[in-house]
Amino acid sequence: MKSIKNNLWAVLGLSVMFVIGTTLAIWYQSIQHTNHLGADTIKADVIENYTPSEPDGTVTKKVSFKNSGSTDVFVRVAYVEIWEKEDQNNEKVILNNKLNETDIATKNWTNDFYTDWSDGGDGWLYYNYILKAGESTQEILNSVTFPDYAQAEYKNYGDAEYSLYFKVEMLQASTGDATLNRDEVNTEASQTVFGKLPFVNYNSNTVTWK
């Protein structure tokens, strides 16, 4: 049995203001939410199905995101992974996430991750749909596969801690027919907060990001 102490972390964030955090086994999540405009509420939940275990081999980790608020939202996701260990002086050092341009830890994304999200080229992945109140995205991650630390090229990672952070931002979307200038409202809000232009098909609730 290898003596490996690795941690996988999952962080769910919304906007950049108030933080509420809880620790759950080897996973960590925090939820941030800001209410934009009117009396509607924005509330995000992370839906997880995982197997707590030593991160050796393939570890099950299924993740999706739920809009538990009372208003429809635009969604974007970012993730960061960190390999960290102590050197001989007991100081923290950060290891490279890649070896020969290949990730050390393989994220086993779902098919929905590739079809339902668009790379914004700014470090964020944008959800290609309006997420209706009470609804959830499809799962974006199935599991994480770790290397064989006995191999020489991965030996330095055997006693390192691994963290995988997810951050999600949700922005209120105007979708009702009663809002005559909903395109202008959505464009102004998205440009201000996301820096992106959303082109919305209100019949299918699909979004094309520019």
Side-chain angles (χ1 to χ4, degrees), residues 1 11-13 15 19 50 68 83 93 98 102-103 107 124 130 132 135 141 144 148 159 168 173 175 178 195 207:
M1 175 71 69
V11 171
L12 172 68
S15 191
V19 181
Y50 66 94
S68 296
W83 286 93
V93 294
K98 294 179 179 291
T102 301
D103 289 346
K107 280 75 60 188
W124 292 92
I130 296 289
K132 307 291 286 185
E135 295 185 356
L141 184 69
V144 180
D148 180 359
D159 58 351
V168 174
T175 55
V207 183

Side-chain angles (χ1 to χ4, degrees), residues 13-20 31-35 42-44:
L14 172 62
S15 191
V16 290
M17 301 188 73
F18 307 104
V19 181
I20 303 172
I31 299 174
Q32 304 174 22
H33 57 87
T34 299
N35 189 20
I42 296 176
K43 184 177 184 297

Side-chain angles (χ1 to χ4, degrees), residues 172-189:
Q172 182 174 342
S174 296
T175 55
D177 293 332
T179 306
L180 298 180
N181 60 336
R182 60 187 177 182
D183 286 328
E184 290 81 359
V185 170
N186 288 331
T187 296
E188 183 175 353

Side-chain angles (χ1 to χ4, degrees), residues 2 4-9 26-27 51 53-61 81-83 103-108 143-151 154 157-158 160-164:
K2 301 182 181 66
I4 302 169
K5 184 181 179 182
N6 296 308
N7 292 318
L8 293 179
W9 305 77
I26 60 172
W27 312 94
T51 302
S53 64
E54 289 292 324
D56 187 18
T58 297
V59 178
T60 298
K61 176 68 173 177
E81 55 184 333
I82 300 173
W83 286 93
D103 289 346
I104 302 298
T106 302
K107 280 75 60 188
N108 300 311
S143 59
V144 180
T145 300
F146 295 91
D148 180 359
Y149 303 110
Q151 296 184 29
Y154 299 119
Y157 293 84
E161 294 182 350
Y162 175 76
S163 301
L164 177 61

